[in-house]
Amino acid sequence: MAEALHKRLSETLADKLQDEIVRLAPGERLPTEAELARRFDVSRTVVRETARLLIQRGLVTVKPGRGMAVAELDGRLIAEQYGLLMRRSEGSFAQLLELRLVLEVEMAQLAAARRTEQHLADLEDANRRLADALGRPEARDEFLDADLRFHEIVAQASGNPFFSLVIRPLNGFLRDTYRTGPGYPSEAANTLEEHVQIAEAIAAGDPSRARFATENHLRRVMRHRDRLLAENQAVPART
């Protein structure tokens, strides 16, 4: 009975704190365990269970001696779900790439209409990093980071924060998958050329051209996915 009461109290308190947390900036400190217990007239056991629930929701982080702080929305929990879905054979890598196609084609079109000069500079920088890493096997991780960073910038340039929220966990999953994949980066020179074409279309403010360039890029990746990921390769778990 007491355990059930604690659970109800912690869920109620988590809901109340969630309403406050969404109005705070990432990294901002929350009241201490003792302060929350006094404020809401609950036991510290209830506060600890509340903290656990807020962590599960991806709303806070807890560090020893520092208490709770507002978490960055990095989509890690969503990325873990991608991995679970594939490990259970309910979804395939090809289907995940289909999701990218649907999202990113429209994303690039919007980016061409809404991008800022900073976005253009960031896209150029990502492509420069790709070019610097091209052809250097020891720079594989650098190439991967620049590759995925490019797509995150396009999401930001779309002006729609929901695109970034979806793309970050998707890229997090792809980063883990490609990092252990036997064939990444496959056709690296084509990746760079296609990224340049996408960036040029966005810089020109041409939504149709940006849409076409992005679709061309992602459809090539889909056609050659077997070069990126061996069919019998296990999908890596996030840590």
Side-chain angles (χ1 to χ4, degrees):
M1 180 67 108
E3 183 177 345
L5 177 60
H6 281 161
K7 184 177 181 181
R8 286 198 301 272
L9 286 172
S10 60
E11 289 174 348
T12 299
L13 181 53
D15 290 341
K16 288 180 180 178
L17 288 175
Q18 177 173 306
D19 290 340
E20 297 182 14
I21 290 168
V22 295
R23 293 191 290 270
L24 301 176
E28 194 165 340
R29 298 272 296 277
L30 272 66
T32 66
E33 183 180 289
E35 290 169 340
L36 288 171
R38 286 194 299 270
R39 175 182 166 189
F40 292 99
D41 193 23
V42 295
S43 69
R44 295 178 73 153
T45 300
V46 169
V47 174
R48 292 188 195 105
E49 177 63 19
T50 297
R52 187 182 67 80
L53 291 173
L54 293 174
I55 292 170
Q56 287 179 347
R57 297 178 189 182
L59 292 170
V60 303
T61 59
V62 176
K63 294 183 179 179
R66 298 190 61 188
M68 288 190 290
V70 180
E72 293 274 0
L73 290 175
D74 62 1
R76 188 172 302 150
L77 294 176
I78 302 173
E80 289 172 351
Q81 292 298 311
Y82 290 146
L84 286 172
L85 193 65
M86 289 183 65
R87 282 195 292 273
R88 290 173 177 169
S89 299
E90 297 173 19
S92 68
F93 187 65
Q95 289 172 325
L96 195 69
L97 294 180
E98 285 179 357
L99 173 63
R100 283 191 73 191
L101 179 66
V102 171
L103 287 172
E104 297 196 37
V105 165
E106 186 64 26
M107 196 169 75
Q109 180 172 276
L110 291 172
R114 299 172 178 174
R115 85 291 185 275
T116 66
E117 290 302 316
Q118 185 59 56
H119 292 136
L120 298 181
D122 290 343
L123 289 172
E124 184 177 348
D125 179 66
N127 282 340
R128 183 166 52 250
R129 289 168 54 202
L130 275 177
D132 289 343
L134 188 65
R136 294 194 292 126
E138 73 278 8
R140 171 186 166 117
D141 283 353
E142 295 172 35
F143 191 94
L144 174 57
D145 288 343
D147 182 2
L148 298 179
R149 174 62 181 151
F150 179 89
H151 292 275
E152 290 180 1
I153 297 165
V154 175
Q156 294 167 9
S158 75
N160 185 330
F162 289 100
F163 277 125
S164 292
L165 190 61
V166 174
I167 288 298
R168 278 198 299 270
L170 178 56
N171 278 357
F173 178 81
L174 290 174
R175 178 174 283 104
D176 287 345
T177 303
Y178 287 161
R179 185 162 284 149
T180 56
Y184 184 88
S186 176
E187 303 180 334
N190 285 337
T191 294
L192 174 58
E193 180 181 353
E194 289 158 5
H195 277 204
V196 169
Q197 291 171 355
I198 295 168
E200 288 177 346
I202 291 174
D206 189 334
S208 295
R209 185 174 150 202
R211 182 185 182 92
F212 176 82
T214 303
E215 183 172 357
N216 178 62
H217 169 55
L218 293 175
R219 287 198 181 279
R220 178 187 61 80
V221 173
M222 291 175 69
R223 287 195 304 271
H224 300 159
R225 64 184 179 273
D226 57 328
R227 301 180 189 177
L228 297 168
L229 185 69
E231 290 183 6
N232 61 351
Q233 181 187 359
V235 177
R238 292 185 63 90
T239 57

